[in-house]
Structures are given as C-alpha cells and as structure tokens.
Amino acid sequence: MAARGPATLVELPGQVLAWSVTSQETLRNLLGDPRVSKDPRQHWPAYTTGEISEDWPLHLWVSVQNMFTAYGIDHRRLRSLVSKAFTARRVAAMRPWIEEITNRLLDELDAAEQPVDLREGFAYPIPIEVICQLFGVPAEARSRLRKVVDGVFDTTVTPEAAQANVVQLYGIMHELVAAKRENPGDDLTTGLIAVREDDGSKLEEAELVDTLILVISAGYETTVNLLDQAITALLTHPEQLDAVRAGTSSWTDVIEETLRWQAPVANLPLRYAVEDIDLGNGVVIGKGEPILAAYAAAGRDKAVHGETADEFDITRADKTHLAFGHGVHYCLGSPLARMEAEIALPALFARFPKMELAVAAHELEPGQSFISNGHESLPVTLK
C-alpha cells in the first residue's frame, strides 16, 4: 500500500471506503491538522444519514462519546477532565504494583509445563491486571472484561456478534460505574466520576461510560502487543539481545524500535476530512471522507527510515514513529505503557536468559484484526 503513494483508498468491513494514510510525514500532518476531525456526528455524512448502521462491525469505534471521537472545544473539555484524573502521580504510583505482578507471573511461568504461551501467560496478564487495578475493576469481572475487549479488536466477527459484544461491554461498564458510585475507592473510575472542571462541568453519563471503554480497552490491548512484539523481536534477533545484555544498547532502544517496527495498533479507525484536503500529486481527500491512520505502515516509511525500514534494528539512530499518535489525540496512556514494558521485559529476559521460540518464527500466526497488531499465541521454551 505504501508503494501506491502517501494515501490510498481501502475497503473496510461493510464495503466502507476510507483513505489509508501510510506516509509518516503525511500522517503526522493530518493528525495535527484542524481540518481533520474524529467526530462522525459532525463530519461523516455516511454516519449522520444512517448509511452506517448499528450492525456495522466497527460501529463502536466511531459511535462512542468520549475524547477519542471528539473534535475541537468538545475534545479539549473531555481530555482536560480525563487528564485531571489520569495524573503522572497516579501512573508513577503503579510501579511497585507492576513489579509485583511481573515477579508473580515469572514464578508461575517458572513452574509451568513447557513450552508456555508468553502472550497468554505474560504479555496479557500484566497490562490487564494493571488497568483493572488502576480503574478498580473487581476480580470477578476481569475475565468477562477481557473477553469483550478482545471482541472489540477482532475485525473478523459477524455484525451480530459485534452487536452482542457491545451490549456485554456496556453492561460491564455500567455495573462498574454503579459500584463505584455506591462504594468510591482510590481508583480512576471513582476519579472520573468525581472530576470537575473549574466551571463545574463534569463528564455526562454517556461520556463517562464511553471514556471508561476507551481507556480500559486501549490501555491494555496496546501494551499486550508491545510486549508480544518486543519479545518476538529479541528472540528472532539474538545478536541484538546480546547488545542489550552487554549494555551497548538499552531497553528503551528495544521499546522504541519495537513501537516503530511493529506498531501495537496497526490501523486506527477513523478520522474525517472537515473540508477537501489536497495531498498533492492529484490526491484529494474529499470533505466528509473517512481516514484510516496506518500507524504500522508509517513506522516502516522508507522516506524516513531508508531501505532498512522493514528491519528490526535497535541501533538505528532515528526510531521516529507515530505508534502513540500525534497532536491533540496523542495517547494519554503512553507513559504507563512504556513503564510496563521497561519493567516487564528486563525481568523476563533476566529470569530466562536462554529462552527460545518453541516454533519457527514464520509459524507465528497474526491476530484476527487489522487494528490490533499481535500474535494469536507466542509459544516459547523457557530456560
């Protein structure tokens, strides 16, 4: 697709056409352009006329009412409210908890029958336990939550399954809000319920529930993929793992190169042109046309990273990527994701210095999604 130019038309499920933007420069410009909106209610005619019905498999990605789909003043209001609860202090306070979870999981893996699935047994439980702890999700709801969030990212499901999954997801979130209203705690859900702007405004009920859907689902699926892809990259590039162990490269190098090489979110729906946007060379994104942010392709842009763009190389001087977005919608949770990886990866490779893939690298199956970029499983023999 990148060879076709900076943007090309693609067909999404339901025969919906969108502009996939694969050029890093073009995508960065569009992400920071006020002529690009994330609000379908204002700027996507196909949505406002009912052409995009509720049984569209990706409907939740555009219908939620939170900062993910807000534009302009409305976005600034919602992001400001969430930022008041999602503070740097609160994120930093999670470090001991992340270390505790990591060490417990490593002990469990050490005692497990070999080979083990590191996606299931390590990459998944760390971020989901962290995000559930952060938001006060009760233990008995966590397995249900994981199942429905997996369904949100599965872009192969039928319209009927997608709708049923959304009903379950909203049910879990309404239960969580009701429980926290009755018994407030020191968690982000309670914080979001209580937060107010200086003028007294707060999150409306729909905004509150949809904000929880955004930050909880985005807050763990992306980190799962970051851990999954970083582990895979190091096990398939042992000389680079040796460089980290020797101290000539850092774990930060590993994390940033993984984010560039295998963006956790490959393609993010959707944005919309507020007016005609001329990209040059005869390519015009027409007013009201949807835009797909192709983060994985942008990370491999040869105009930025040269002929080695498709190669994993932690010594690369320029690891520029857009994996956490850019501009006003830049991911609020990026410090938390990076911190989880900075703790989990060194601990894993220190505990099992000779671990190796239990299958050939080409046998690893990608997940059932063009949004989420991870593997179905990550079988590894621990040594």
Side-chain angles (χ1 to χ4, degrees):
M1 284 166 54
R4 298 171 67 97
T8 190
L9 279 172
V10 297
E11 184 180 304
L12 303 178
Q15 298 181 316
V16 173
L17 298 183
W19 287 96
S20 173
V21 182
T22 56
S23 158
Q24 190 172 118
E25 180 183 9
T26 303
L27 183 55
R28 178 184 286 105
N29 290 340
L30 288 174
L31 295 179
D33 193 327
R35 297 175 298 167
V36 176
S37 168
K38 293 199 74 175
D39 187 349
R41 293 168 180 82
Q42 291 189 62
H43 301 120
W44 192 17
Y47 184 86
T48 55
T49 61
E51 184 181 335
I52 301 299
S53 61
E54 289 191 7
D55 67 353
W56 185 48
L58 301 180
H59 193 271
L60 184 68
W61 287 91
V62 302
S63 64
V64 286
Q65 297 180 57
N66 54 36
M67 62 184 182
F68 182 76
T69 57
Y71 175 73
I73 294 173
D74 200 33
H75 173 263
R76 289 192 289 276
R77 175 182 66 85
L78 290 169
R79 189 176 178 100
S80 173
L81 285 165
V82 175
S83 298
K84 288 177 183 293
F86 201 92
T87 63
R89 179 197 60 80
R90 191 184 288 272
V91 171
M94 294 299 293
R95 180 174 287 276
W97 176 249
I98 298 169
E99 292 171 345
E100 179 185 327
I101 295 169
T102 300
N103 290 329
R104 173 170 52 80
L105 290 170
L106 292 175
D107 289 341
E108 292 174 4
L109 289 168
D110 209 357
E113 184 177 341
Q114 302 298 312
V116 298
D117 178 0
L118 277 189
R119 184 173 172 91
E120 180 66 26
F122 190 72
Y124 245 122
I126 291 175
I128 197 167
E129 288 203 31
V130 168
I131 210 74
C132 286
Q133 174 76 3
L134 193 60
F135 284 88
V137 178
E140 62 272 17
R142 293 179 184 182
S143 60
R144 284 194 300 144
L145 177 63
R146 174 185 164 177
K147 183 178 179 182
V148 295
V149 172
D150 285 350
V152 171
F153 282 88
D154 185 345
T155 52
T156 68
V157 298
T158 64
E160 294 77 18
Q163 281 186 290
N165 193 67
V166 168
V167 171
Q168 292 184 55
L169 178 59
Y170 273 102
I172 293 171
M173 292 303 155
H174 281 291
E175 288 173 14
L176 177 61
V177 170
K180 292 302 172 182
R181 281 210 169 97
E182 187 172 337
N183 296 295
D186 183 20
D187 55 70
L188 254 179
T189 303
T190 301
L192 288 172
I193 291 170
V195 75
R196 294 286 193 281
E197 282 283 45
D198 294 337
D199 63 2
S201 65
K202 63 177 183 175
L203 291 169
E204 300 297 332
E205 188 71 10
E207 294 172 340
L208 171 63
V209 172
D210 284 354
T211 293
L212 288 171
I213 288 175
L214 166 65
V215 290
I216 291 177
S217 58
Y220 89 78
E221 179 73 20
T222 50
T223 309
V224 173
N225 291 336
L226 171 56
L227 294 175
D228 172 348
Q229 296 289 7
I231 294 166
T232 304
L234 290 176
L235 292 181
T236 53
H237 298 80
E239 73 290 347
Q240 298 192 49
L241 176 57
D242 290 342
V244 177
R245 286 178 168 146
T248 55
S249 293
S250 68
W251 286 104
T252 298
D253 290 327
V254 172
I255 293 165
E256 295 308 310
E257 178 65 354
T258 301
L259 289 167
R260 181 202 70 82
W261 187 60
Q262 295 284 7
V265 174
N267 303 281
L268 188 63
L270 280 173
R271 286 169 165 83
Y272 320 95
V274 175
E275 59 185 67
D276 288 356
I277 301 174
D278 189 347
L279 301 183
N281 297 317
V283 178
V284 177
I285 300 178
K287 179 180 179 180
E289 293 182 340
I291 299 167
L292 188 69
Y295 293 129
R300 303 283 191 94
D301 190 344
K302 292 185 178 181
V304 178
H305 298 293
E307 290 305 311
T308 64
D310 289 332
E311 299 173 14
F312 178 79
D313 180 7
I314 59 175
T315 68
R316 186 186 305 278
D318 182 3
K319 301 180 181 68
T320 304
H321 62 77
L322 296 172
F324 290 120
H326 177 72
V328 296
H329 285 278
Y330 185 81
C331 178
L332 271 178
S334 59
L336 179 60
R338 284 187 167 105
M339 184 169 71
E340 290 177 65
E342 288 165 1
I343 293 169
L345 292 172
L348 173 68
F349 282 91
R351 176 71 73 93
F352 305 110
K354 296 182 179 180
M355 68 175 171
E356 57 188 25
L357 286 175
V359 298
H362 70 267
E363 294 179 24
L364 295 173
E365 293 289 336
Q368 299 297 302
S369 177
F370 63 80
I371 298 173
S372 178
N373 181 23
H375 298 102
E376 285 287 290
S377 64
L378 185 56
V380 169
T381 303
L382 301 176
K383 299 178 182 178

